[in-house]
Amino acid sequence: MIPLSRRAFLATVASVPAVAVVPRAAFSAIQTQGTAAPFHALGLSQITLTVSDVKRSIDFYQGLFGMPIQARQGSTVFLRIGAGPKFLALRQAAAGERPSISALGFAVEKFDVTSALRTLAAHGVMPAEASAAKPGPLQSLVVTRKADLGGSPDGTRDLFVADPSGVVFQIHDPSYCGGTGALGNTCPQVEASPKKGLMAMKDMSHFTVNASSPQTVPFYQELFGFTPQAYQAATPAWGVGDGVHFLMFTGNAGGPTRGGGAPGGAGAPGGAPRAGGPGAPGAPAAPGAPGAAGAPGGAPGGRGGAPRAGGIDHACMAMDDFDPAKVTQLLVDYGLKKQEGQGREPLVTYISLRMPNRGGAEGGTPELYLTDPDGLAVQLQDVKYCGGGGFLGEICSPL
């Protein structure tokens, strides 16, 4: 028998009708190679923030997390997450452009730009015009970076894709660090942070995306084969890779939900409209602009109000030994304001308790958020957090 990875096991379970009863021993013999998705994502790889003042944001994130600079692409700075090459990119907003969580990224096994473009086209994702500032929904865009943008003299090709809701992501080799070479994986001059930081981020965790197209979830399922690793109310946490990374979708995302319930009841805290928050509308920016890693994220997610365009509501990073009370105190000592509500004005922190009706623990699974100088929301959780139950959100039993 060939043992299955956790992700393959979940994919198998998801394919079994709800009314069927399958003996436990039978799962180890089931093969999934025949239904493999065209891209095998090993995990999430990056967060790109479009900010109003790159220097101010560097100071904020280095002072808080002590992140070294892993690479530079023109004016854009890549801060290393953990041991790398995962990164938090800080990109300068263009004139008239609002700050946003601009893009996410997937580390893809056996990545090749030319092959990836063929695969995308076969699945309905067509190349954008070469002069396009960004890919539109269901478009791809290749940006060739020369030495002035941290690429190779003969050009390093970066591939960006926009999903059916217009949310931009980059797919690249797992070794990609934002640097030179054919795979963008040469970053020889890491610059140490001048500040130690108050806590260390070890890994990516997840993104919550507000979707505007019912084809969004089916799109990711078709390309990547994502399957649920947990549910928050009716909303699935779609596992990325064999670890605990995931995506959650709110809004009009389409795709299956538990019990046929409407998606969007979990994963994105509610509250007042964000001031300068994720994806507020603004002028488009080219991924090929200095260090840009995608398009503006669209209007933020959340509950209530008028329908919103697709965009990334918040990103989450993970740390060892997560203690919400201690982390909150460190953030307050750093100058953030502790608040009870879930508004998104700049430089606040708050905890949202996810209760059992949304897959949380008895008494609530604490989920901690902070906003940066631009009001962009970042969630912090334990490295074991998988979007499930337990105090740390670490219980994601096979579904």
Side-chain angles (χ1 to χ4, degrees), residues 143-388:
V143 175
T144 301
R145 291 186 292 110
K146 296 294 185 70
D148 60 328
L149 293 179
S152 300
D154 56 348
T156 297
R157 296 199 297 167
D158 292 340
L159 175 58
F160 301 90
V161 179
D163 72 15
S165 293
V167 173
V168 174
F169 60 86
Q170 185 177 359
I171 54 176
H172 49 67
D173 189 83
S175 63
Y176 181 88
C177 60
T180 67
L183 295 176
N185 61 352
T186 302
C187 293
Q189 297 181 339
V190 175
E191 305 169 40
S193 171
K195 303 174 182 179
K196 182 180 179 181
L198 303 182
M199 62 192 94
M201 293 298 104
K202 295 294 185 180
D203 198 1
M204 301 280 296
S205 172
H206 70 272
F207 290 87
T208 293
V209 176
N210 189 66
S212 60
S213 168
Q215 297 305 312
T216 301
V217 166
F219 169 82
Y220 286 99
Q221 289 181 296
E222 180 180 340
L223 282 185
F224 298 102
F226 293 158
T227 58
Q229 69 182 23
Y231 285 93
Q232 296 184 8
T235 305
W238 296 96
V240 180
D242 287 333
V244 296
H245 295 176
F246 64 92
L247 297 179
M248 292 201 78
F249 295 92
T250 63
N252 187 22
T257 58
R258 182 162 63 180
R274 284 66 158 159
R303 305 187 190 102
R308 294 167 178 171
I312 300 172
D313 180 84
H314 66 268
C316 182
M317 293 186 287
M319 61 188 294
D320 288 329
D321 303 318
F322 175 71
D323 183 319
K326 290 182 179 179
V327 172
T328 295
Q329 189 58 55
L330 288 172
L331 293 173
V332 170
D333 292 344
Y334 193 59
L336 275 67
K337 177 185 176 182
K338 181 180 177 181
Q339 64 178 32
E340 298 303 322
Q342 298 179 348
R344 296 282 180 87
E345 61 265 27
L347 301 178
V348 300
T349 182
Y350 58 88
I351 291 175
S352 175
L353 291 176
R354 184 162 49 83
M355 305 307 288
N357 67 331
R358 294 179 55 226
E362 291 294 334
T365 295
E367 298 179 327
L368 187 149
Y369 298 82
L370 65 89
T371 58
D372 73 2
D374 286 300
L376 305 180
V378 176
Q379 186 177 348
L380 305 180
Q381 298 295 150
D382 193 87
V383 291
K384 297 186 290 293
Y385 182 86
C386 60

Side-chain angles (χ1 to χ4, degrees), residues 50 91 97 100 102-103 126-143 159-163 165-169 279-289 292-299 309-311:
T50 294
R91 171 190 168 272
E97 183 182 6
S100 66
S102 308
M126 305 309 295
E129 295 291 334
S131 59
K134 61 175 182 175
L138 293 177
Q139 289 186 339
S140 63
L141 183 65
V142 175
V143 175
L159 175 58
F160 301 90
V161 179
D163 72 15
S165 293
V167 173
V168 174
F169 60 86

Side-chain angles (χ1 to χ4, degrees), residues 53-67 69 77 79 90 193-195 197 334 373:
D53 185 328
V54 168
K55 183 181 184 304
R56 180 180 66 172
S57 293
I58 292 171
D59 290 343
F60 175 80
Y61 284 104
Q62 286 193 323
L64 193 52
F65 302 130
M67 295 169 152
I69 296 175
V77 173
L79 300 179
L90 301 172
S193 171
K195 303 174 182 179
Y334 193 59

